[in-house]
Amino acid sequence: MREIDVSHIIDTVERLCMQANYELNSDIMHALEEGINREGSDTGRRVLSELVENARIAARERIAICQDTGMAVVFIELGQDVHIKGGSLRDAVNEGVRRGYEKGFLRKSVVSDPFERVNTEDNTPAVIHYDIVEGDRIRVTVAPKGFGSENMSGLRMLKPSDGIEGVKAFILETVDKAGPNPCPPVVVGVGIGGTMEKAALLSKKALLRPVDRRNEDERISRLEEEMKELINGLGIGPAGLGGRLTALAVNMEVFPTHIAGLPVAVNISCHVTRHAEAVI
Amino acid sequence: MDKTISINAPLRNDMVRQLKSGDHVEINGVVYAVRDAAHKRLIEMLDKGEELPFDIKDQIIYYVGPCPARPGHVIGSAGPTTSGRMDVYTPRLIELGLAGMIGKGLRSDEVVEAMRKFGAVYFGAVGGAGALLSKCIVSEEIAAFPELGPEALRKLVVRNFPAVVIIDSEGRDLYSSGRRRFQHVFAQNRKM
């Protein structure tokens, strides 16, 4: 049994909130830079160059890449041989978010109630997903999610007879309807199988995978490539102004499901697609 | 590369009518930062017959909720938010003289109809370029509703703020025309 004090968790979450919001991940940066060479639209190339420049300014000045610094989605993989002392894990994560957003000059975008809509003024609570795993460490991933893209996401309970063609049609339809709204070029996270909430969670987790890494299952990896081609044929382009680069990647995760169902969730994420992780 | 047109805010109606979908512009002058919660307040004030906190005639509204400023900075990251959420409020503001909107994303038919009828233009700024765009904002002050925090109504002064005319006062839309040039895959939009 290894003991970990909550102060370590607070410090880690605080740091990751800032890192995720200031530093564009290198896989995305490369994809944007490559996109400049391949984009067929002048305006599209201009937009991609501005996004690269924007990311450089943000990293240099330690300011947010985008003003929508998101609702903090935090994934905790807790080793079963860890004992947390000094307080509750949930409180520690929220304290880390509170400090990270306050000290980091990040926007507080959370309201206390969906109807009353009063700002909590510290960006808490975070949305926390816990997973108990083997070992004596804690892996913390902070993935702040902006709502321009979150609002364009969708889930559909398909029938088994809809099959792979039904899944492809739903993904394409979701990205098509989103059009310019989610700040393309986007990353498309797809969760297929499980139950309704499992598919949604898989689609969110899919966004944590770098855009240059395909699913290890070759069948799924081919489907990811095929969907990316199709999406880029929609013509939406950088900032939605028309062009070839609409999706930087399609990341899919699959899970066993029920004899009667084929759940599909599509979580659209903007070209910033923030996530930062650390192991304690 | 298309030439860039320099425009001044507030925006006079004759200028509104000259701008065409696809024009690249740089905006100079005063714009008001107003997003969801502040729009709701403005409409509530109009419903009660109260005077708005600023004269909306010929003004440009920027749909933005900026990050707090680091010491020594004018403002934090300040890119556009999705405009469509404001659609339900917008036609009424256009009818009162609102001349321009800066945001990103699709607008409703009702908004476009009001833009044609009364003369207004919809500019797109690059979503997710908030750090870069913040450099074009030279002053910021809270003009109303400070209790709304990031959604407070702000008076901003912008200099050479880059944007593209998405929808012009005749209803032409760059999102559709830009897309048509590159689209060769079509989604089947199915009913549930």
Side-chain angles (χ1 to χ4, degrees):
Chain A
M1 185 70 77
R2 177 174 168 233
E3 290 206 328
I4 296 178
D5 193 273
V6 287
S7 62
H8 291 300
I9 298 163
I10 296 171
D11 292 346
T12 303
V13 171
E14 174 188 328
R15 177 170 59 80
L16 293 177
C17 285
M18 293 193 228
Q19 182 187 327
N21 274 297
Y22 300 154
E23 300 170 21
L24 190 69
N25 284 319
S26 59
D27 57 309
I28 306 241
M29 190 64 150
H30 289 148
L32 293 174
E33 285 169 340
E34 253 179 49
I36 297 174
N37 301 323
R38 292 193 189 164
E39 179 53 62
S41 147
D42 287 344
T43 303
R45 277 195 297 275
R46 187 198 280 205
V47 168
L48 294 171
S49 304
E50 286 175 2
L51 295 180
V52 168
E53 173 65 13
N54 182 71
R56 289 191 184 131
I57 293 172
R60 190 172 63 227
E61 299 188 11
R62 292 181 68 74
I63 57 176
I65 301 164
C66 172
Q67 76 292 335
D68 186 352
T69 51
M71 190 162 192
V73 179
V74 181
F75 292 90
I76 299 284
E77 281 182 24
L78 177 65
Q80 61 192 19
D81 298 328
V82 173
H83 174 240
I84 291 167
K85 64 181 179 75
S88 96
L89 175 57
R90 186 179 59 194
D91 289 349
V93 170
N94 281 320
E95 184 58 26
V97 168
R98 186 175 291 121
R99 293 186 193 175
Y101 276 72
E102 188 53 43
K103 292 186 197 168
F105 299 93
L106 303 175
R107 195 180 79 185
K108 289 78 182 171
S109 310
V110 174
V111 291
S112 60
D113 177 277
F115 303 113
E116 298 296 325
R117 307 198 74 84
V118 176
N119 199 301
T120 62
E121 297 184 2
D122 60 8
N123 220 51
T124 68
V127 174
I128 311 173
H129 300 293
Y130 302 95
D131 211 356
I132 310 292
V133 299
E134 289 178 345
D136 62 358
R137 289 162 182 259
I138 308 176
R139 180 186 298 273
V140 181
T141 307
V142 175
K145 189 64 166 73
F147 263 57
S149 57
E150 194 72 354
N151 281 338
M152 304 321 290
S153 302
L155 184 144
R156 190 171 286 169
M157 303 303 283
L158 296 178
K159 293 188 288 293
S161 61
D162 290 322
I164 207 159
E165 290 307 316
V167 169
K168 285 159 62 175
F170 178 58
I171 297 168
L172 204 58
E173 175 191 329
T174 306
V175 179
D176 178 73
K177 272 193 200 155
N181 290 19
C183 295
V186 293
V187 181
V188 184
V190 183
I192 307 167
T195 48
M196 185 192 77
E197 88 287 3
K198 180 69 180 179
L201 187 54
L202 285 175
S203 71
K204 182 74 78 196
K205 279 191 175 167
L207 296 171
L208 304 178
R209 182 170 10 118
V211 294
D212 53 9
R213 204 164 81 215
R214 304 276 45 84
N215 191 299
E216 284 173 12
D217 180 336
E218 202 180 314
R219 190 181 44 120
I220 303 303
S221 139
R222 277 201 302 271
L223 192 56
E224 290 177 336
E225 291 292 355
E226 183 187 352
M227 284 316 301
K228 184 175 143 180
E229 284 292 308
L230 287 170
I231 288 168
N232 286 334
L234 290 171
I236 296 166
L241 302 175
R244 291 188 186 137
L245 189 62
T246 300
L248 298 172
V250 178
N251 289 357
M252 292 183 179
E253 298 296 336
V254 297
F255 194 82
T257 188
H258 187 276
I259 47 174
L262 177 48
V264 187
V266 178
N267 197 188
I268 299 186
S269 191
C270 64
H271 55 74
V272 182
T273 302
R274 292 159 284 218
H275 50 90
E277 66 167 53
V279 176
I280 303 173
Chain B
M1 193 73 76
D2 305 311
K3 75 177 172 63
T4 299
I5 304 166
S6 182
I7 59 173
N8 294 318
L11 195 56
R12 293 203 343 243
N13 195 267
D14 57 334
M15 191 64 204
V16 167
R17 297 285 179 191
Q18 282 174 40
L19 292 168
K20 300 295 170 215
S21 177
D23 285 349
H24 288 260
V25 300
E26 282 184 349
I27 303 168
N28 291 284
V30 171
V31 303
Y32 287 91
V34 194
R35 51 171 293 152
D36 306 57
H39 266 83
K40 187 162 183 272
R41 295 278 186 95
L42 293 181
I43 297 298
E44 284 165 0
M45 291 174 89
L46 290 173
D47 285 343
K48 287 189 224 154
E50 292 169 7
E51 202 171 315
L52 297 183
F54 65 104
D55 180 6
I56 203 162
K57 177 105 178 64
D58 295 340
Q59 297 296 346
I60 294 178
I61 284 180
Y62 181 17
Y63 303 131
V64 60
C67 281
R70 268 194 186 281
H73 288 215
V74 170
I75 197 167
S77 194
T81 192
T82 310
S83 313
R85 293 193 314 272
M86 270 48 82
D87 283 355
V88 64
Y89 308 116
T90 300
R92 197 151 166 206
L93 300 181
I94 293 175
E95 192 172 345
L96 290 172
L98 176 67
M101 299 148 279
I102 309 170
K104 55 133 176 148
L106 306 167
R107 306 308 303 261
S108 69
D109 293 343
E110 291 75 14
V111 170
V112 178
E113 187 45 43
M115 289 170 62
R116 291 162 65 119
K117 190 168 172 191
F118 300 101
V121 61
Y122 173 46
F123 301 100
V126 175
L132 185 68
L133 291 169
S134 73
K135 303 298 172 195
C136 304
I137 299 171
V138 295
S139 83
E140 180 211 19
E141 65 180 90
I142 305 276
F145 321 134
E147 64 281 8
L148 295 179
E151 297 202 76
L153 196 154
R154 291 169 164 83
K155 182 180 182 181
L156 307 177
V157 177
V158 297
R159 188 176 299 152
N160 300 334
F161 185 98
V164 183
V165 177
I166 303 284
I167 305 175
D168 63 26
S169 59
E170 291 174 41
R172 281 182 292 248
D173 183 353
L174 178 62
Y175 285 139
S176 356
S177 60
R179 210 178 146 173
R180 264 198 304 277
R181 291 174 53 212
F182 292 91
Q183 184 164 21
H184 56 86
V185 172
F186 296 85
Q188 304 165 301
N189 288 325
R190 176 183 99 150
K191 291 244 163 28
M192 276 294 276

